Amino acid sequence: MKTYKISSKQLFVLIFLFEVGSSIVVGLGFKAKQDAWLAILIALIGGILLYFLYYTLFKQYPTKTLVEYLEDLLGKYIGKVVAIIYCLYFFYLAGRVLRDFGDLIITTTLDNTPLMIVNMIVVLLVMYSNHLGLEVIARTGSIFFIILMTLASLFFVVAFIDQLPKYENLLPVLEKGWTPVLKAAFPLTLTFPFGEMIVFTMIFPFLNRQDQVLKVGLNALIFSGVLLMVTMTVILSILGPTIGSTTQFPLMEAIEKVNIANFIQRLDPVALGILIIGIFFKITIFYFAALFGFEKLFKIKKQKRKYLLLITGPALLVSSIYMAQGLTQHLKIGLEIVPYYVHLPLQVYMPLLLIFICLIKNRLKPKRT
């Protein structure tokens, strides 16, 4: 099995790109309307607590990934079954994000292009990236981080130059009390995207300075969370709470309104650039976690890895196409079913159970004299 090594800076970049990912496509916290920023902030605090949970597990097994120490904690057979479930979970989420991307492209840009063709191009890129390995993915991420930040800055600059944000669209604060805010924060915004950080339990052991996992991870999580909060607030101030909470791709809707002196307009490529970069890295990281997990579980040797790629790549493509009959059903499943019945058990309940088992095992260890 190949041993990867990435730097602290590269881990920061990967977490940031992952968190931005598809979150910026479908929007966050918009069910709370003008209080979306507050829902994101509350969910971010919950995400930080979850990160401490994942970090605590990592500290117990600093040289092992999630699928490896599951067998130590749950036993050989139960642990392997749960590990397979996690691998399939990461694979499923890669397919969901891929479907997000495909639906976005054919809805906004390439409306006459089959979904299969759009998704196939992305799958080929993701397969090639994973063939090159985590180190190459991380180095590439460092380059695209700069590009994404440049495009995001451009969006903010042109929006404010054109005086699109309207402060009154964010008022009144807590118009309907805390209930809509808390419902928007938990479990939806907590689990997507902050709880999805559990995928990095498959990457932490590859950091060349493992003492930096907590510091770097928290910094990246907070930075990406704050950026998402600011971005969603600006989008809502442009579109208004009613349109913002109902449109399928709010960032695209917002940037289409830019028209500076009838000269600077049609800035869709800026939004598409942000979306493509974030989504590509999110799919790639999920796919890497699933692939590496399968390699470990089934003890697939390095020279046989290409066969695993050739099997899982087409499977990823097919799953992204047939997981839903259309965009409406896809969003309904992702926003109303997956958070409760998939995300919460695997992002929250299982890690809490593993921590509990760790505590019991540590208490039962014989003390050294």
Side-chain angles (χ1 to χ4, degrees):
M1 188 63 61
K2 185 174 180 179
T3 301
Y4 304 103
K5 284 296 175 185
I6 61 174
S7 68
S8 300
K9 178 183 175 183
Q10 289 170 338
L11 178 64
F12 178 94
V13 166
L14 288 179
I15 291 175
F16 173 81
L17 293 173
F18 177 86
E19 286 296 286
V20 171
S22 56
S23 313
I24 209 165
V25 177
V26 297
L28 287 180
F30 283 174
K31 284 190 175 181
K33 296 193 173 180
Q34 65 264 28
D35 295 320
W37 66 272
L38 191 53
I40 297 171
L41 179 60
I42 295 171
L44 174 60
I45 295 171
I48 291 171
L49 295 177
L50 284 180
Y51 188 81
F52 274 106
L53 194 65
Y54 306 149
Y55 173 73
T56 302
L57 287 170
F58 163 71
K59 287 296 290 182
Q60 300 298 314
Y61 299 93
T63 61
K64 293 184 177 182
T65 61
L66 173 65
V67 298
E68 294 173 281
Y69 58 71
L70 276 170
E71 291 189 39
D72 293 340
L73 292 172
L74 300 177
K76 182 177 179 181
Y77 298 107
I78 296 178
K80 179 158 283 190
V81 170
V82 176
I84 291 173
I85 291 173
Y86 267 105
C87 290
L88 293 174
Y89 172 61
F90 297 143
F91 188 81
Y92 171 72
L93 291 183
R96 284 205 63 83
V97 180
L98 178 59
R99 179 60 181 263
D100 287 337
F101 173 80
D103 281 334
L104 167 71
I105 293 297
I106 64 175
T107 301
T108 60
T109 309
L110 306 176
D111 53 339
N112 291 321
T113 305
L115 181 63
M116 177 71 75
I117 300 300
V118 174
N119 286 7
M120 183 175 66
I121 294 171
V122 179
V123 166
L124 291 173
L125 289 172
V126 170
M127 288 174 64
Y128 183 64
S129 300
N130 276 272
H131 171 69
L132 296 176
L134 182 62
E135 293 168 346
V136 174
I137 294 169
R139 288 198 298 269
T140 306
S142 299
I143 298 171
F144 279 98
F145 171 78
I146 298 172
I147 298 173
L148 186 143
M149 289 304 296
T150 302
L151 293 175
S153 300
L154 181 60
F155 164 66
F156 290 126
V157 168
V158 296
F160 280 98
I161 288 176
D162 201 22
Q163 299 180 347
L164 290 176
K166 305 298 181 185
Y167 178 69
E168 56 269 23
N169 285 334
L170 304 176
L171 297 175
V173 177
L174 295 176
E175 179 183 14
K176 296 183 179 179
W178 284 95
T179 302
V181 174
L182 295 176
K183 283 184 177 180
F186 302 106
L188 182 56
T189 310
L190 172 66
T191 57
F192 168 77
F194 302 117
E196 292 176 336
M197 281 287 294
I198 194 171
V199 73
F200 282 90
T201 56
M202 299 294 295
I203 294 177
F204 289 154
F206 304 126
L207 189 64
N208 57 11
R209 287 191 58 189
Q210 294 187 348
D211 60 310
Q212 295 288 305
V213 166
L214 181 61
K215 178 182 176 182
V216 171
L218 285 178
N219 287 339
L221 188 61
I222 293 170
F223 180 60
S224 58
V226 170
L227 180 64
L228 285 170
M229 183 173 64
V230 171
T231 303
M232 297 306 141
T233 302
V234 171
I235 290 173
L236 276 173
S237 70
I238 295 173
L239 300 179
T242 302
I243 297 176
S245 61
T246 55
T247 185
Q248 292 172 331
F249 303 114
L251 178 62
M252 292 291 294
E253 190 82 19
I255 205 165
E256 284 175 356
K257 293 184 177 296
V258 173
N259 184 0
I260 301 176
N262 290 321
F263 179 69
I264 299 177
Q265 52 187 323
R266 302 295 300 170
L267 295 179
D268 303 24
V270 173
L272 281 173
I274 295 172
L275 300 173
I276 290 170
I277 292 170
I279 283 180
F280 169 76
F281 280 96
K282 190 158 191 174
I283 298 170
T284 301
I285 290 168
F286 272 135
Y287 185 63
F288 168 82
L291 206 65
F292 193 83
F294 285 134
E295 287 183 61
K296 281 292 186 181
L297 286 172
F298 300 107
K299 297 178 172 55
I300 298 173
K301 295 181 180 179
K302 180 182 175 182
Q303 54 269 31
K304 299 291 180 69
R305 192 172 189 268
K306 59 184 178 181
Y307 298 114
L308 185 61
L309 275 168
L310 292 175
I311 293 171
T312 56
L316 178 65
L317 175 61
V318 172
S319 69
S320 72
I321 301 297
Y322 293 104
M323 65 172 52
Q325 294 180 353
L327 176 59
T328 303
Q329 186 186 55
H330 173 67
L331 292 176
K332 182 178 176 65
I333 292 171
L335 300 177
E336 297 180 15
I337 297 174
V338 173
Y340 292 95
Y341 302 105
V342 181
H343 284 332
L344 281 178
L346 295 176
Q347 293 177 6
V348 182
Y349 304 150
M350 181 56 69
L352 284 172
L353 175 63
L354 296 178
I355 290 290
F356 180 69
I357 294 172
C358 278
L359 291 174
I360 293 176
K361 284 197 168 189
N362 289 337
R363 283 182 176 273
L364 294 178
K365 279 183 181 178
K367 294 182 179 179
R368 295 181 181 179
T369 55

